[in-house]
Amino acid sequence: MNGIVVEANELTRSFGDFTAVDRVTFAVARGEVFGFLGSNGAGKTTTIRMLCGLLAPTSGSASVAGFDVATRAVEIKRRVGYMSQKFSLYDDLTVWENLRFWGGAYGLFGKRIAERARWAIAISGLEGRRDALVRDLPGGYRQRLALGAALLHEPPVVFLDEPTGGVDPAARRRFWDLIDELAASGTTVFVTTHYMDEAERCHRVALMHAGRLIGLDTIPALKRVFPEGSVVEISCSRCAKALPVVEALPGVVEVALFGDTLHAVLERPGEQADLRTRLMERGVEPVEVRAIAPSLEDVFVRAITGAESGHGLAGAAGGRP
Amino acid sequence: MSDSPVFDVRGMQVRYGAAEAVRGLDITVSSGEVLGLIGPDGAGKTSSLRVLAGLLRPAGGRAEAFGLPIWPNRRALHGRIGYLAQRFALYGDLTVDENIQFFALLYSVPGWRKRRDELLERVTLTRFRHRLADRLSGGMKQKLALACTLIHSPEALLLDEPTTGVDPVTRRELWRLLGELVVEGLTLVVATPYLDEAERCSRVVLMKDGQVLADARPGELQARLPGHLVEVSGGPRAAVTRVLKNLEGVADLSVFGACVHVRLEGISDPIGAVRAALAGAGITSVHVREIRPSLEDTFLYLTGSKPEGAQGEVA
C-alpha cells in the first residue's frame, strides 16, 4: 500500500507454549509517530525484534520499507535505525569517536561519515563539544546523540525502545520536539513506551496487552471511548473522607483520589448536577463537579479490562493510519 | 492527631564527599497529606527520602519526624515510618508469605499473621501466597513489597518511585490502595519523576539540583503559569506551527501528537487571536480550545527550561 512503511499482518511469535505476540495487525504510514504502548511482557520488544529482522515470525507476516521481515532481513537492517534507553553509546569514547564508530558499523565511509556525524552533532545541540567524552554529557544530550547515531545511515524508519526513561522534563520535551521535526521531514518513528504522558505525543497509539493488540487509534479517538462528561473531577473539602460516599452512589463506576480532588467515572454522562446534589444531601460540601478529559491511562485500563472480558476497543481490528 | 507535623525539615543538607545532593531543603508534612517530591534524576529526591527514613545522616539542618530529630531517634522511629526503596529487596527464593513473615519478624510485629492475611487480601495476592517471589510479575512484586513495608502498620510511608515499570492496571490498583490508606489516616511522601503521578498528590514539591523550586498544591502550581494555554487540533501541523510561531503574544509552543499547544501572554482573546492568525494563512478547518496546563507545562516554566534552546544545559 502506498505510503505504508511498516506493516504487520496477523503477526505471531510463540516460544514453546507461550505466545508472546498473538495475531497482531497494523500499518504505519511514512512520517507517522507511532506509539506502541504496553507494560513489561506485553509483547512490545518481541514485535520490534521481528520488525527489525532479528527474530522470525511463527506465523503471519510483516514488512518494513517494502521488504518482508522473514526473507529480506539484510535489506531491512540497512533501512532501520534502533535506539534504546540502555543501548548504543560508548561512555569512554568522545562524541566524534562514537559517531565515526556507528557510521562505520552502518556501512558509511569517507566524506559521508563526516557529513552525517556533523548532522548528528547539530541535532544533539553539541556543536563545539565533539571531543567531549560521552560519559561527561548530561542525560538529555546523550539521548539526542544516541538518536543521531541511530539515524546516521538515514533510515526511513527508526525504532525507539523506551527512549526517555530517567531524563528530566525539559530534556524530554526537547527530545520530543526533535522527534516531531524528524517525522515532519518524512522519517517514520516507531516508539515503545509504558509511560502514558509520552504516548500523548504520538500521532497514533497501539495498546498491547498479553501479546494482543487491544486498541489502536489517535489519542482523541481512543479517548472517545468515554463519552464527553462521563469523567468528572469533584472538588470538596476533605475529599479523602468523601471518597467512600461517592463510591457508594449509584451510577458511579469508579472513583480515585487525586490530591485534593476526586476523579470519578460515571455510567452516563451529564449526571454532574445530579451528583452534586446527591453529595450535598449526604453532607459533603462545598462540592464542585466538572467534566474533565479522560487520561490515556483511563483508556488503557478500560481496554485491558474489556479485553480480559472479551471486548476490545473499537478500532483494534483495523489498524490503518 | 498530634500537634507536631509528621515531618518537619529545615535547611536540611546531604553531602556525599564533595558532592552536595541536597542543599537546604525545607518541607513540612502534616498528617494525612500526600506529598509528592517531583524532579529529574539527581534532584535529591532519594537522598531526602533516605534522611526521612532515618537511613542517612543529614550533613546539616534540621530533620524531625513526629517532633523528634530523626537521626538520633531512628530506631524508635522505624516502627512508625515505612520506606519502600526504588529497588526493594524481596527474597526471590522465599514465597510471598515468607517474605512478609520475614519483615514481620524484623519489626517484631505482634499478631502479624492476621495483619499479613489482611494485607494479602488488600493487595490481591492471597491466591499467590505460596508462590516464590522470583516467579511473580513486576506488578505483583511491587504489591508484595508494599505489603512488606506496611506489615508494621506505619503512620507515615515513604515511597521512592513506586510505579516505575509497573503496568497501568497495577499502577492504578496501587494508587487505589494508597488512597484507601490515606483515608484511614496514613501520611504519604512519594518521590517520582513522572508528572502525571504528581497529580495524585495533595501537595507537590518541585526539586532541582538539591533545592526546592516550588511547594504548592497542584492546582495552585498550574495557576502560576502566566497567560493562556491553547490547543489547536485538526489542521496541517507543520503549517499551524509555522504560523503560530510568529504570532504576537506566543510565549511557548509545543507539538503533542496531532495537536499543537501554544501559550499566549498578554492577549485578551487568545482563542480569537489564534483563529484569526490561522485563518489569515488560509487554515480554517481547525479545532481551537483553551486547555488546562499540565504539571509538566508548569514545571518547564518554573525551572526556566526553554524547550527551544538546547544550549543552556552544557556548562
Side-chain angles (χ1 to χ4, degrees), chain A residues 203-223:
Chain A
H203 300 154
R204 276 191 316 147
V205 172
L207 306 178
M208 288 286 289
H209 178 66
R212 288 168 51 216
L213 187 62
I214 58 169
L216 170 56
D217 219 320
T218 62
I219 305 265
L222 284 171
K223 287 186 174 175

Side-chain angles (χ1 to χ4, degrees), chain A residues 141 174 195 201 247 290 298, chain B residues 176 194 255 292 310 313:
Chain A
Y141 282 87
R174 275 187 220 127
Y195 301 122
R201 304 212 44 164
E247 194 160 39
R290 61 183 198 96
D298 290 322
Chain B
R176 182 178 177 82
Y194 301 110
V255 177
R292 190 152 73 144
E313 210 172 316

Side-chain angles (χ1 to χ4, degrees), chain B residues 113-244:
Chain B
R113 284 188 178 80
K114 185 167 169 282
R115 173 83 179 150
R116 176 195 61 194
D117 294 352
E118 184 190 299
L119 284 169
L120 280 176
E121 229 12 76
R122 291 189 82 158
V123 298
T124 58
L125 284 178
T126 308
R127 221 152 56 83
F128 305 100
R129 62 191 308 162
H130 302 301
R131 192 180 278 194
L132 294 182
D134 257 351
R135 310 208 40 202
L136 299 175
S137 72
M140 284 154 86
K141 277 186 187 147
Q142 198 63 358
K143 291 198 275 186
L144 174 56
L146 184 62
C148 292
T149 312
L150 291 169
I151 188 71
H152 64 299
S153 310
E155 295 159 61
L157 186 57
L158 308 166
L159 303 165
D160 199 354
E161 303 196 12
T163 66
T164 296
V166 166
D167 70 89
V169 174
T170 310
R171 183 174 157 187
R172 185 154 289 205
E173 265 182 71
L174 281 171
W175 272 107
R176 182 178 177 82
L177 176 62
L178 293 174
E180 285 170 17
L181 295 166
V182 170
V183 172
E184 290 162 23
L186 187 75
T187 304
L188 277 185
V189 180
V190 188
T192 174
Y194 301 110
L195 293 162
D196 59 341
E197 200 144 88
E199 316 253 359
R200 296 269 188 178
C201 302
S202 56
R203 203 149 56 84
V204 171
V205 170
L206 294 185
M207 291 185 72
K208 196 181 183 190
D209 301 329
Q211 287 173 310
V212 174
L213 288 178
D215 178 346
R217 298 172 3 160
E220 290 167 4
L221 213 51
Q222 282 151 351
R224 291 192 201 171
L225 190 71
H228 301 268
L229 197 63
V230 171
E231 180 190 79
V232 180
S233 55
R237 228 163 9 110
V240 168
T241 310
R242 200 166 349 95
V243 172
L244 295 182

